[in-house]
Amino acid sequence: MTPLSQLLPGQFGKLVSLNPDQAVDQRLMALGLLPGMALKLVRRAPLGDPVAIEFGGQVVSLRLAEAESLIVDVAADCPVQRPKNTP
Amino acid sequence: MSSKQITVALVGNPNTGKSTLFNALTGLRQKVGNYPGVTVARKSGRCDCGDGLKVELVDLPGLYSLAAASPDEQVVTDVLLGSLEGSQQPDAIVVVLDVTNLLRNLFLASQLAELNLPLALVLNQADIAHEQGLKIDTQLLSQRLGGVPVVLTSAWKGEGIASVRRAIAEVLNKKTKMTKLIWPSQVESALGTIVQAIQADTGQAPSSADAQRILFSSNAHTSDRLGWSQPQRELIVRQARDQVRSAGYNPMAAEPLIHYAHLRKILEGVIAGGTGKQGNAAALDRVLLHRVIGPILFTGIMLGLFASVFWLAKFPMQWIQSGVDFLKAIIAPALVSTPMLQSLVTDGIIAGVGAFLVFLPQILILFLFIGILEDSGYMARAAFIMDRLFSWCGLNGKSFVPLLSGFACAIPGLLSTRTIEDPKARLATAFAVPFMSCSARFPVYALMCAAFIGPLYGPGWESVVMVGMHCVGLLFAVPTAFVLTRFVLKVKPQPFVLELPRYQMPKPSDVLWRMWQNAAEFVSKAGTVIFAMTIVIWALCYFPRDAQMADRIKAAEPTLSEHEIQSRTQAAMIEQSWMGRFGKAVQPVFDPCGFDWKITVGVLASFPAREVIVSTLGVTYSIGKGAEADSQNLRTAMQEAKWMDGPRKSTPIFSLAAVLALMVFFALCSQCGPTIATLAQETGGWKWAAISFFYMTILAWVMAVVVYQSVIRLI
C-alpha cells in the first residue's frame, strides 16, 4: 500500500482506495478512476508537482497535495501494457 | 415566439470536438451571451436539420459529470432541467462523445439519461478511432441504449455532419430516450425517501434526477433550488445515505461505481480492435514535458506569444491611431465654426471609438495564440509545467498566460482569464492582471527616467529604475492574490484535475471564429462603456469654457507669438475646467505624495487611460497638445518647475522623491477605464470592478506617500 505521491515516474499500480468525500477524488471517480483500476504515474512536472497519471486510456494532471488520499498497490499484478479503452 | 422554437442542447466532455461540431452544424449563425447572474458563456445557433426543420442549438460548457460542483456544471444541470431563469428546457439532448474513450464519455451520457429527455449520441473523432484500429458497433450500442440514434462523425474533417442533422430530426420526431440503469434496490428506496420528503415539504415531487443530485452531490445547490426547507433536509439526506451504505456503497462513490459497472456491461462487444496505443501524446509529451527541454520550449513559446501581443500588435495599433487622427483632421475643419461641436466630435466621439478599437489588434493576436494553444492540446501542458509556481498563492497553471499578457495590456489579459475553469482562481487572476506593468505605463516611466533619473544619476540607475518599476506591480499582485484566495473569497476552490488531451492540429476556422467572437463581445460590451467614459472625461476637461480666454492672454502679454498664446490658452482652459478645478480642490490629498496641482490634474485626467498623463502634463506645462515622452520641451519645463508657495517654495517640484512617488503611483493605480469595463464584463458585474478600482487606487496613494515621505527624509 503506497500513497500515489511515492510512485516513481513510469511505475504502475492498482488503486486500492480513495476518499470519496474529497472533491478531487470525486472528480477522478467521474473520470473512471475507481478502486481496482490500474494506473501509471507517467511523469512529474519539471518543478516536481503536479504529476501526470494515466488510467483508462487518458492522462490526467493532479496536484500531489490534493491527491493525498489516493492509495495504490504497486505489488499487485498489473497489466504492463497501457490500459486499454475496452472495458 | 421563442416558446415555440425547438431547442436542442449540445453536451459533452471537454476535448471531444464539441465546439467544432457546433460550428459545423450552425455555420456562422451564432449568438454569444451570458447566462443570467453567472459568468458562463451562452452560445447558441440555428441548425438546419432538413425538411424545413430549424432548431436552436445550444452549445453547453464541456463537463465530465453532472455533479454540479463547479459553476459550469451547475449551469448545464440547470439549463437541462429548464430551471434557469430565461431559458426553456431543451426538447432534446445531443451528447458528443470521444469515441476513443467511450467508457468515460458514456458516464456523462448515462447521467443525462436520468433527465428523461429525448437523446442522441454523436461518437466523434471517428478518424482517430480508425487510425487506432478501433471498430465500433453503433447499431449494437444503439440497441442496448433503448434505440437512441448513435452516429459516428469526424467533426474536424467535416464527416458525418449530415447524419447528425438527421439524428436530431429523428430524435425530435420519435422522442427516443436512452435506457436508464437499474439502481440497486436500497439506492432506489433512498431516492424514494428524498422524493417523498421534498413532496411533503414543498408540495411538489422532484424529478428522479433532482433526487439523485441531492443524494450523490456534496453541495446544496439542488436542495436550495427546489426550496426544500433547511432544518429537516440534512436529517433526511443522512438517512437516505445510510440506506445507500447498507447496500455496501459509500454514498459519495455510489454514483460513478454503479454507472461505470452498468456501462462496462453495455460496452461488451461494442468495441473491437484497438492497439491501445495512445497515438502521438506519449511521444510528444516526452519532449514537451521533459524536465529540461520542456521549460525551455515553454519559455520560447511564451516569449513568442508575448512578443506578438506586445510588438506585432503595435503596427495595426498605429494604423488605427493614424486612422483616428486622419478622421479628426478631415472632420475638424468642417466644424470650425462650432468649436464645441468640433471638440466633441474629434476629442470625444472619434477619440472614444478609437479608445476601444485600439485594443482589437492585441485581443485578436492573443486569442489567435490561445486558440492554437488550446486546440492543439498544449495549453493543458503549459498549465502542467507552470502550476507549481502559482498554486501556493491560490492561482493555478492557467493563470500564466493572462498574467503574461498583462505585461502588454490588461485587456487581452483579462479576456484570457476565461480559459481558467476554477472560478476562484479565475477571479483572483483577473484581479492580479491589472497590476502587471502594461505598455501604457511605459511612457510614464520613460518620461520620468529620461527627465530626472538619467540626468541626475546616469543611465545605469535609469535602467535599474525602469526594471524596478516593472516589478512593483508583480510585487503587490502576488500577495493580493494570496490574501484574496485565502481569506476573502469564500467559494470552495475547484481541485486542479486537468486532462492532458491528445495533441491535435487546430482547425483554422475554429480558431479564427473564436478570435472574432471574443473581439466582437469586447466591442459590444466593454467597448460601449469605454466610449461613454471618453465622452464624460472630454466634457469634464472641456467645460466650462471661457470664450475670451485667448484675448485676455493676448492683452496681458502682447509680445507672445501665436503658438505661445495657443499653448497658454489651452493651459488656462484646462486649469479652469471642471477637471482643473477638481484637481486643485483635491491637490491637498496628493500633497503628501509631493504632487502639485498640475500633476494632480494629470493624475485625475489619466484615470480613463494612464498614458494621457504625458499629454496632459504637456498641456498644463503650456507646451501645447500632443507632447510625447521624448519631447525635450516638456522635460525642460518639468525640470524647471518649482513650488510657487508653501513650505517647499522655490524648490523643484520634481524632486527625486516626487518622481519616484509618481512612478510608483502609476505602477499601482487603477488608471484605465477599459480595464474596469472589461473586469466588469468578465466577472459578471460591477462589484469586483469597483473593488479592484478602489483597492488599487488607495494602494497606489499609500505607496506613493510612503515612497515620497521616506525618500525626502533619507536624502
Side-chain angles (χ1 to χ4, degrees), chain B residues 104-144:
Chain B
R104 185 199 79 194
N105 280 258
L106 275 171
F107 173 64
L108 179 68
S110 186
Q111 281 185 319
L112 291 167
E114 300 291 331
L115 298 171
N116 261 339
L117 287 170
L119 185 146
L121 300 183
V122 175
L123 310 186
N124 195 26
Q125 294 169 337
D127 49 333
I128 295 159
H130 183 75
E131 274 169 34
Q132 294 183 357
L134 286 171
K135 288 199 175 56
I136 315 291
D137 190 340
T138 52
Q139 250 183 331
L140 182 62
L141 184 61
S142 165
Q143 196 189 321
R144 287 202 184 146

Short mmCIF file of all heavy atoms in Angstrom, two decimals, chain B residues 104-144:
data_model
loop_
_atom_site.label_atom_id
_atom_site.label_comp_id
_atom_site.label_asym_id
_atom_site.label_seq_id
_atom_site.Cartn_x
_atom_site.Cartn_y
_atom_site.Cartn_z
N ARG B 104 -15.51 6.45 -20.49
CA ARG B 104 -15.58 7.65 -19.67
C ARG B 104 -16.61 8.63 -20.20
O ARG B 104 -17.35 9.25 -19.44
CB ARG B 104 -14.21 8.34 -19.63
CG ARG B 104 -14.21 9.51 -18.69
CD ARG B 104 -13.09 10.47 -18.96
NE ARG B 104 -13.39 11.34 -20.08
CZ ARG B 104 -12.47 12.09 -20.68
NH1 ARG B 104 -11.22 12.04 -20.29
NH2 ARG B 104 -12.81 12.87 -21.66
N ASN B 105 -16.68 8.77 -21.51
CA ASN B 105 -17.62 9.71 -22.10
C ASN B 105 -19.07 9.28 -21.88
O ASN B 105 -19.96 10.10 -21.78
CB ASN B 105 -17.35 9.86 -23.60
CG ASN B 105 -16.19 10.81 -23.88
OD1 ASN B 105 -16.40 11.95 -24.25
ND2 ASN B 105 -14.97 10.34 -23.67
N LEU B 106 -19.29 7.97 -21.79
CA LEU B 106 -20.65 7.49 -21.59
C LEU B 106 -21.15 7.74 -20.18
O LEU B 106 -22.35 7.74 -19.93
CB LEU B 106 -20.74 5.99 -21.92
CG LEU B 106 -20.97 5.64 -23.39
CD1 LEU B 106 -20.82 4.15 -23.61
CD2 LEU B 106 -22.34 6.11 -23.87
N PHE B 107 -20.22 7.96 -19.24
CA PHE B 107 -20.65 8.25 -17.87
C PHE B 107 -21.56 9.47 -17.85
O PHE B 107 -22.65 9.45 -17.26
CB PHE B 107 -19.43 8.47 -16.97
CG PHE B 107 -19.78 8.92 -15.58
CD1 PHE B 107 -20.51 8.11 -14.73
CD2 PHE B 107 -19.41 10.18 -15.13
CE1 PHE B 107 -20.85 8.53 -13.45
CE2 PHE B 107 -19.75 10.61 -13.85
CZ PHE B 107 -20.47 9.77 -13.00
N LEU B 108 -21.15 10.53 -18.53
CA LEU B 108 -21.99 11.74 -18.59
C LEU B 108 -23.31 11.43 -19.30
O LEU B 108 -24.38 11.83 -18.85
CB LEU B 108 -21.24 12.87 -19.31
CG LEU B 108 -22.01 14.17 -19.46
CD1 LEU B 108 -22.24 14.83 -18.12
CD2 LEU B 108 -21.27 15.13 -20.38
N ALA B 109 -23.22 10.69 -20.40
CA ALA B 109 -24.43 10.34 -21.15
C ALA B 109 -25.40 9.57 -20.26
O ALA B 109 -26.61 9.79 -20.29
CB ALA B 109 -24.07 9.52 -22.38
N SER B 110 -24.84 8.67 -19.45
CA SER B 110 -25.66 7.84 -18.58
C SER B 110 -26.34 8.71 -17.50
O SER B 110 -27.50 8.48 -17.15
CB SER B 110 -24.77 6.78 -17.94
OG SER B 110 -25.52 5.87 -17.20
N GLN B 111 -25.62 9.73 -17.02
CA GLN B 111 -26.25 10.67 -16.08
C GLN B 111 -27.34 11.47 -16.78
O GLN B 111 -28.39 11.76 -16.21
CB GLN B 111 -25.19 11.64 -15.53
CG GLN B 111 -24.32 11.07 -14.45
CD GLN B 111 -23.39 12.13 -13.89
OE1 GLN B 111 -22.84 12.94 -14.64
NE2 GLN B 111 -23.22 12.14 -12.58
N LEU B 112 -27.07 11.84 -18.04
CA LEU B 112 -28.04 12.63 -18.79
C LEU B 112 -29.32 11.83 -19.06
O LEU B 112 -30.41 12.40 -19.13
CB LEU B 112 -27.42 13.11 -20.12
CG LEU B 112 -26.31 14.14 -20.01
CD1 LEU B 112 -25.57 14.28 -21.33
CD2 LEU B 112 -26.86 15.49 -19.56
N ALA B 113 -29.17 10.51 -19.20
CA ALA B 113 -30.35 9.67 -19.45
C ALA B 113 -31.37 9.82 -18.33
O ALA B 113 -32.58 9.74 -18.55
CB ALA B 113 -29.92 8.22 -19.57
N GLU B 114 -30.86 10.09 -17.12
CA GLU B 114 -31.74 10.23 -15.96
C GLU B 114 -32.67 11.45 -16.07
O GLU B 114 -33.62 11.58 -15.32
CB GLU B 114 -30.91 10.35 -14.67
CG GLU B 114 -30.02 9.16 -14.39
CD GLU B 114 -30.81 7.91 -14.02
OE1 GLU B 114 -31.90 8.07 -13.45
OE2 GLU B 114 -30.34 6.79 -14.31
N LEU B 115 -32.36 12.36 -16.99
CA LEU B 115 -33.17 13.57 -17.13
C LEU B 115 -34.45 13.32 -17.93
O LEU B 115 -35.29 14.20 -18.05
CB LEU B 115 -32.36 14.68 -17.81
CG LEU B 115 -31.11 15.15 -17.06
CD1 LEU B 115 -30.29 16.08 -17.91
CD2 LEU B 115 -31.50 15.85 -15.77
N ASN B 116 -34.56 12.13 -18.52
CA ASN B 116 -35.78 11.77 -19.23
C ASN B 116 -36.06 12.62 -20.46
O ASN B 116 -37.21 12.89 -20.79
CB ASN B 116 -36.99 11.86 -18.29
CG ASN B 116 -37.36 10.49 -17.77
OD1 ASN B 116 -36.99 9.48 -18.37
ND2 ASN B 116 -38.05 10.47 -16.65
N LEU B 117 -35.02 13.11 -21.10
CA LEU B 117 -35.23 13.90 -22.31
C LEU B 117 -34.84 13.04 -23.52
O LEU B 117 -33.97 12.19 -23.40
CB LEU B 117 -34.35 15.16 -22.29
CG LEU B 117 -34.77 16.27 -21.34
CD1 LEU B 117 -33.68 17.32 -21.24
CD2 LEU B 117 -36.08 16.90 -21.79
N PRO B 118 -35.48 13.29 -24.68
CA PRO B 118 -35.04 12.60 -25.90
C PRO B 118 -33.54 12.88 -26.11
O PRO B 118 -33.08 14.00 -25.88
CB PRO B 118 -35.88 13.25 -27.00
CG PRO B 118 -37.08 13.79 -26.30
CD PRO B 118 -36.63 14.18 -24.93
N LEU B 119 -32.83 11.86 -26.55
CA LEU B 119 -31.37 11.98 -26.54
C LEU B 119 -30.75 11.24 -27.74
O LEU B 119 -31.26 10.20 -28.16
CB LEU B 119 -30.88 11.41 -25.21
CG LEU B 119 -29.43 11.46 -24.79
CD1 LEU B 119 -29.36 11.64 -23.28
CD2 LEU B 119 -28.71 10.20 -25.20
N ALA B 120 -29.71 11.83 -28.29
CA ALA B 120 -28.96 11.18 -29.37
C ALA B 120 -27.48 11.23 -29.03
O ALA B 120 -27.02 12.15 -28.35
CB ALA B 120 -29.22 11.88 -30.70
N LEU B 121 -26.73 10.22 -29.47
CA LEU B 121 -25.30 10.17 -29.20
C LEU B 121 -24.51 10.40 -30.48
O LEU B 121 -24.79 9.78 -31.50
CB LEU B 121 -24.90 8.80 -28.62
CG LEU B 121 -25.55 8.35 -27.31
CD1 LEU B 121 -24.96 7.01 -26.89
CD2 LEU B 121 -25.34 9.38 -26.21
N VAL B 122 -23.56 11.31 -30.41
CA VAL B 122 -22.65 11.54 -31.53
C VAL B 122 -21.27 11.06 -31.11
O VAL B 122 -20.68 11.61 -30.18
CB VAL B 122 -22.59 13.04 -31.91
CG1 VAL B 122 -21.54 13.27 -32.99
CG2 VAL B 122 -23.95 13.53 -32.37
N LEU B 123 -20.80 10.01 -31.76
CA LEU B 123 -19.46 9.49 -31.44
C LEU B 123 -18.48 10.19 -32.36
O LEU B 123 -18.37 9.86 -33.53
CB LEU B 123 -19.41 7.97 -31.64
CG LEU B 123 -20.53 7.15 -30.98
CD1 LEU B 123 -20.26 5.67 -31.14
CD2 LEU B 123 -20.69 7.50 -29.51
N ASN B 124 -17.79 11.16 -31.79
CA ASN B 124 -16.92 12.00 -32.62
C ASN B 124 -15.49 11.45 -32.62
O ASN B 124 -15.15 10.56 -31.85
CB ASN B 124 -16.95 13.43 -32.08
CG ASN B 124 -16.39 14.42 -33.07
OD1 ASN B 124 -16.41 14.20 -34.27
ND2 ASN B 124 -15.86 15.52 -32.57
N GLN B 125 -14.67 12.04 -33.48
CA GLN B 125 -13.26 11.66 -33.64
C GLN B 125 -13.14 10.24 -34.16
O GLN B 125 -12.24 9.49 -33.77
CB GLN B 125 -12.50 11.90 -32.33
CG GLN B 125 -12.47 13.41 -32.07
CD GLN B 125 -12.00 13.82 -30.71
OE1 GLN B 125 -12.06 13.07 -29.75
NE2 GLN B 125 -11.54 15.05 -30.60
N ALA B 126 -14.06 9.93 -35.08
CA ALA B 126 -14.05 8.60 -35.70
C ALA B 126 -12.76 8.40 -36.50
O ALA B 126 -12.27 7.28 -36.60
CB ALA B 126 -15.26 8.46 -36.62
N ASP B 127 -12.20 9.49 -37.03
CA ASP B 127 -10.97 9.35 -37.81
C ASP B 127 -9.82 8.83 -36.94
O ASP B 127 -9.03 8.00 -37.38
CB ASP B 127 -10.59 10.69 -38.47
CG ASP B 127 -10.62 11.86 -37.49
OD1 ASP B 127 -11.38 11.78 -36.51
OD2 ASP B 127 -9.89 12.83 -37.70
N ILE B 128 -9.77 9.32 -35.70
CA ILE B 128 -8.68 8.88 -34.82
C ILE B 128 -8.92 7.44 -34.38
O ILE B 128 -7.98 6.64 -34.30
CB ILE B 128 -8.55 9.84 -33.62
CG1 ILE B 128 -8.11 11.21 -34.17
CG2 ILE B 128 -7.54 9.34 -32.62
CD1 ILE B 128 -8.39 12.35 -33.28
N ALA B 129 -10.19 7.11 -34.12
CA ALA B 129 -10.52 5.73 -33.77
C ALA B 129 -10.10 4.80 -34.90
O ALA B 129 -9.56 3.71 -34.67
CB ALA B 129 -12.01 5.60 -33.51
N HIS B 130 -10.32 5.26 -36.13
CA HIS B 130 -9.96 4.46 -37.29
C HIS B 130 -8.45 4.24 -37.34
O HIS B 130 -7.97 3.12 -37.56
CB HIS B 130 -10.44 5.17 -38.56
CG HIS B 130 -10.18 4.39 -39.80
ND1 HIS B 130 -10.92 3.28 -40.15
CD2 HIS B 130 -9.25 4.55 -40.77
CE1 HIS B 130 -10.45 2.79 -41.27
NE2 HIS B 130 -9.44 3.55 -41.69
N GLU B 131 -7.70 5.34 -37.08
CA GLU B 131 -6.23 5.22 -37.06
C GLU B 131 -5.78 4.22 -35.99
O GLU B 131 -4.80 3.50 -36.18
CB GLU B 131 -5.60 6.58 -36.72
CG GLU B 131 -5.38 7.49 -37.90
CD GLU B 131 -5.00 8.89 -37.43
OE1 GLU B 131 -4.32 9.00 -36.40
OE2 GLU B 131 -5.42 9.85 -38.10
N GLN B 132 -6.48 4.22 -34.86
CA GLN B 132 -6.10 3.32 -33.76
C GLN B 132 -6.62 1.90 -33.98
O GLN B 132 -6.42 1.04 -33.14
CB GLN B 132 -6.63 3.86 -32.43
CG GLN B 132 -5.98 5.18 -32.02
CD GLN B 132 -6.46 5.67 -30.67
OE1 GLN B 132 -7.32 5.07 -30.05
NE2 GLN B 132 -5.90 6.78 -30.22
N GLY B 133 -7.34 1.71 -35.07
CA GLY B 133 -7.86 0.38 -35.37
C GLY B 133 -9.09 -0.01 -34.57
O GLY B 133 -9.43 -1.19 -34.48
N LEU B 134 -9.76 0.98 -33.97
CA LEU B 134 -10.96 0.69 -33.17
C LEU B 134 -12.16 0.52 -34.10
O LEU B 134 -12.34 1.30 -35.03
CB LEU B 134 -11.25 1.83 -32.20
CG LEU B 134 -10.37 1.98 -30.98
CD1 LEU B 134 -10.69 3.29 -30.28
CD2 LEU B 134 -10.60 0.82 -30.03
N LYS B 135 -12.95 -0.51 -33.79
CA LYS B 135 -14.19 -0.68 -34.56
C LYS B 135 -15.36 -0.60 -33.58
O LYS B 135 -15.38 -1.28 -32.56
CB LYS B 135 -14.18 -2.03 -35.27
CG LYS B 135 -13.21 -2.04 -36.43
CD LYS B 135 -13.52 -3.17 -37.39
CE LYS B 135 -12.60 -3.08 -38.60
NZ LYS B 135 -11.16 -3.07 -38.21
N ILE B 136 -16.32 0.23 -33.92
CA ILE B 136 -17.45 0.45 -33.01
C ILE B 136 -18.72 -0.06 -33.67
O ILE B 136 -19.04 0.31 -34.80
CB ILE B 136 -17.64 1.95 -32.72
CG1 ILE B 136 -16.31 2.63 -32.42
CG2 ILE B 136 -18.63 2.17 -31.59
CD1 ILE B 136 -15.66 2.25 -31.14
N ASP B 137 -19.43 -0.89 -32.94
CA ASP B 137 -20.71 -1.39 -33.44
C ASP B 137 -21.80 -0.42 -32.98
O ASP B 137 -22.37 -0.57 -31.89
CB ASP B 137 -20.95 -2.81 -32.90
CG ASP B 137 -22.14 -3.48 -33.57
OD1 ASP B 137 -22.98 -2.75 -34.14
OD2 ASP B 137 -22.21 -4.71 -33.52
N THR B 138 -22.08 0.59 -33.79
CA THR B 138 -23.02 1.63 -33.36
C THR B 138 -24.43 1.07 -33.25
O THR B 138 -25.21 1.53 -32.41
CB THR B 138 -23.02 2.81 -34.33
OG1 THR B 138 -23.22 2.33 -35.66
CG2 THR B 138 -21.73 3.59 -34.27
N GLN B 139 -24.74 0.10 -34.11
CA GLN B 139 -26.09 -0.46 -34.06
C GLN B 139 -26.35 -1.18 -32.74
O GLN B 139 -27.39 -0.99 -32.11
CB GLN B 139 -26.25 -1.44 -35.21
CG GLN B 139 -27.19 -0.90 -36.26
CD GLN B 139 -27.40 -1.90 -37.37
OE1 GLN B 139 -26.54 -2.73 -37.66
NE2 GLN B 139 -28.56 -1.83 -37.99
N LEU B 140 -25.34 -1.98 -32.34
CA LEU B 140 -25.47 -2.72 -31.09
C LEU B 140 -25.59 -1.74 -29.91
O LEU B 140 -26.41 -1.92 -29.01
CB LEU B 140 -24.25 -3.63 -30.90
CG LEU B 140 -24.25 -4.52 -29.65
CD1 LEU B 140 -25.42 -5.48 -29.67
CD2 LEU B 140 -22.93 -5.28 -29.54
N LEU B 141 -24.76 -0.68 -29.96
CA LEU B 141 -24.78 0.30 -28.88
C LEU B 141 -26.16 0.96 -28.81
O LEU B 141 -26.76 1.09 -27.74
CB LEU B 141 -23.69 1.35 -29.11
CG LEU B 141 -23.52 2.40 -28.01
CD1 LEU B 141 -23.14 1.75 -26.68
CD2 LEU B 141 -22.47 3.43 -28.39
N SER B 142 -26.68 1.36 -29.97
CA SER B 142 -27.99 2.00 -30.02
C SER B 142 -29.06 1.07 -29.46
O SER B 142 -29.90 1.47 -28.65
CB SER B 142 -28.31 2.38 -31.47
OG SER B 142 -29.67 2.68 -31.60
N GLN B 143 -28.97 -0.18 -29.86
CA GLN B 143 -29.95 -1.17 -29.42
C GLN B 143 -29.92 -1.32 -27.90
O GLN B 143 -30.95 -1.33 -27.24
CB GLN B 143 -29.58 -2.49 -30.10
CG GLN B 143 -30.64 -3.56 -30.09
CD GLN B 143 -30.02 -4.85 -30.62
OE1 GLN B 143 -29.22 -4.86 -31.55
NE2 GLN B 143 -30.37 -5.96 -29.98
N ARG B 144 -28.69 -1.40 -27.33
CA ARG B 144 -28.57 -1.59 -25.89
C ARG B 144 -29.02 -0.36 -25.11
O ARG B 144 -29.34 -0.45 -23.93
CB ARG B 144 -27.12 -1.91 -25.53
CG ARG B 144 -26.76 -3.30 -25.95
CD ARG B 144 -25.59 -3.81 -25.16
NE ARG B 144 -25.20 -5.12 -25.66
CZ ARG B 144 -23.94 -5.56 -25.68
NH1 ARG B 144 -22.97 -4.79 -25.22
NH2 ARG B 144 -23.66 -6.74 -26.14
#
